[in-house]
Amino acid sequence: MKKSKTCIFKCSSCGHEEPKWLGRCPECGEWNTLIETSISGALSGALRTSARRGSATKTEQGIPRSLPLSAIDPQEGNRVSSGIGELDRVLGGGIMKRSAILVGGEPGIGKSTLLLQAAAAAETTGRILYISGEESAGQVRMRADRLGLLAGPEDNRSKQAGQAERIEIVCSARLEDISAILDAVKPVIIIVDSVQTLFSPEIGLVPGTVNQMKYCSFELISWVKEHDAALFLVAHVTKDGIIAGPKTLEHMVDTVLYFEQNDQASGGSLDSRFLRASKNRFGSVDELGIFTMGEKGLKEVKDPSTLFLIQREGELPPGVAAAAVLEGSRCFLVEIQALTVPAKGSLSRVYSDRIDSGRVSRVAATLEKHLKLRLQDHDLYINVAGGIRINEVGVELALAGAIYSARTGLALPSQTALAGELSLAGEVRPVRRLNTRIKTSRSLGFGRFFGPGADSGETEAALADSDGIHRITSVKNAITLLFTQ
Ligand code: TYD
Ligand code: MG
């Protein structure tokens, strides 16, 4: 009897498969990377995983079976608090069991620190496994000591001290070893630091390729879905380029968090870090987590309302306006700074990395059109104090105020907060939760508030008095009121 073919050739760089040997991989273009592999070995992983995933909805013959939607367990209430309020909020109310969370950010931003702190503080009695492919166990221990997570001298101990005893460390990046440890330890929270170090010999010899990352992550995700655990995958993402790797994992995980930092040049006095969700199957994506990095790790900023304001005595300089913005469920005030200088070339440009430059250009164009402000031969620089990125539309009125003030050299009145969206027709449009913004501004000593006539449909408790509140309908109206009183 003729023996069936049992070998294929697999690229050790990208995982591409060919029925016969080739000198160069047609997929990734690498030379001499095709290696003979047995078919059973190559397929077993994928088959195993797909069988596992569908196990609950399969009949005894292994054929997938449909179930009425109402018969499915919604897995509600299956959350574990990470013990870190800011992280819980960004996650949508805690760590969802059976979920995979990708935590991306530049090297050195504090991903390992955040997750080690969360591992120590998480409100669970189960075991926690920290898989370190980058640092030695000793290094992780040193960090834990620095953070005061282990029972040590009284003065160096944080409130989570002692809880960190249940964290177990494994320094390996080989998927097969990790799988064996998972089956033995059965942790409830798994932290993989980092996903770029994972590898499985089944996918080739080179760790860190996109295929290695995808394959290994998929196996680990399947494990947590089955075992009622949660998985954190740390991914290094750099501004210029290497984003392609971890990006390919985004569709496989339930939640994608990005950790970012202000640059020191932006005027923030504190070393603040921001945590945002860019995808969340179990919550909203507009919550913002704020931390400061200190000597003993990350500290939560529970009340950020004044973190992004610069305290000044007396008059404001031109080009500065205070905006009352909403980030997720929280309202705070931020200082918007604008600067206009004669353009260096024949084209004027917008330099803004904290507020979308498309939004800045649109607001500038609205001012040119409706207030005849000459901007076409000027470069425009926009910054936000404290280096926070603002994505909220309610910032537009303050942005208009700051640009107008910068270009004309007239300062805005002090202790004045603004909120409102601008339409291209120069109208000031309603924004969400206007009264919350007014109340927050007042509580911080802003006596005057400029905003649209009403909020956008949401019913809110009416304000007791309307002292100092200016309800305006157009940007022209707002600028006239702001700069002539
Ligand atoms: P780390 O968590 O290692 O970053 P990542 O895992 O994202 O690469 O954080 C490293 C930086 O944080 C490093 O520059 C040192 C600093 N750091 C502190 O300032 N205080 C601390 O308590 C710790 C643990 C780190
Ligand atoms: Mg790290």
Side-chain angles (χ1 to χ4, degrees), residues 73-284:
D73 173 14
Q75 297 175 7
E76 240 338 297
N78 233 343
R79 289 187 190 265
V80 175
S81 167
S82 68
I84 299 179
E86 292 294 286
L87 176 60
D88 280 355
R89 215 157 39 74
V90 176
L91 286 172
I95 307 166
M96 193 76 173
K97 283 202 187 159
R98 302 190 185 190
S99 76
I101 302 147
L102 186 72
V103 182
E106 294 198 19
I109 194 93
K111 302 178 293 296
S112 306
T113 308
L114 176 70
L115 293 178
L116 193 59
Q117 284 182 251
E123 288 168 13
T124 168
T125 47
R127 296 163 86 175
I128 295 172
L129 189 67
Y130 191 105
I131 301 162
S132 177
E134 285 180 3
E135 293 171 311
S136 68
Q139 282 173 305
V140 180
R141 166 73 205 253
M142 261 164 61
R143 174 176 291 130
D145 282 342
R146 175 172 182 186
L147 299 171
L149 299 179
L150 292 166
E154 199 65 48
D155 57 333
N156 194 31
R157 211 185 289 176
S158 75
K159 70 173 194 293
Q160 298 112 19
Q163 290 209 61
E165 316 289 343
R166 65 194 171 164
I167 305 175
E168 291 171 43
I169 310 281
V170 47
C171 290
S172 173
R174 194 182 135 104
L175 180 69
E176 288 69 16
D177 297 346
I178 294 172
S179 294
I181 294 170
L182 289 182
D183 288 333
V185 174
K186 298 245 168 13
V188 290
I189 296 175
I190 303 154
I191 297 160
V192 177
D193 192 359
S194 69
V195 71
Q196 271 109 334
T197 58
L198 290 177
F199 75 97
S200 162
E202 283 194 31
I203 296 301
L205 303 173
V206 189
T209 63
V210 170
N211 267 23
Q212 286 278 19
M213 244 170 8
K214 277 187 175 173
Y215 178 83
C216 299
S217 306
F218 185 72
E219 288 279 321
L220 296 177
I221 293 168
S222 306
W223 195 92
V224 297
K225 300 264 173 212
E226 253 187 29
H227 291 85
D228 228 14
L231 174 70
F232 285 93
L233 294 168
V234 172
H236 294 296
V237 172
T238 52
K239 265 192 197 132
D240 26 77
I242 318 178
I243 211 156
K247 268 261 183 261
T248 58
L249 299 177
E250 288 192 349
H251 72 280
M252 292 166 54
V253 298
D254 301 296
T255 303
V256 179
L257 304 184
Y258 278 101
F259 211 19
E260 38 182 61
Q261 187 180 14
N262 64 353
D263 45 46
Q264 255 64 44
S266 62
S269 52
L270 287 163
D271 195 4
S272 36
R273 315 274 157 121
F274 309 110
L275 189 67
R276 291 176 195 272
S278 73
K279 162 182 176 177
N280 194 353
R281 287 191 182 142
F282 308 116
S284 91

Side-chain angles (χ1 to χ4, degrees), residues 337-341 344 349-352 379-383:
Q337 303 164 352
L339 172 70
T340 60
V341 289
K344 285 160 205 77
R349 297 181 62 175
V350 170
Y351 299 88
S352 172
D379 285 342
L380 182 52
Y381 293 81
I382 300 292
N383 193 18

Side-chain angles (χ1 to χ4, degrees), residues 380-415:
L380 182 52
Y381 293 81
I382 300 292
N383 193 18
V384 179
I388 186 173
R389 233 170 3 97
I390 302 290
N391 302 323
E392 207 246 341
V393 288
V395 76
E396 291 181 353
L397 183 60
L399 185 58
I403 296 173
Y404 189 89
S405 165
R407 182 67 185 91
T408 57
L410 302 167
L412 273 111
S414 54
Q415 307 307 335

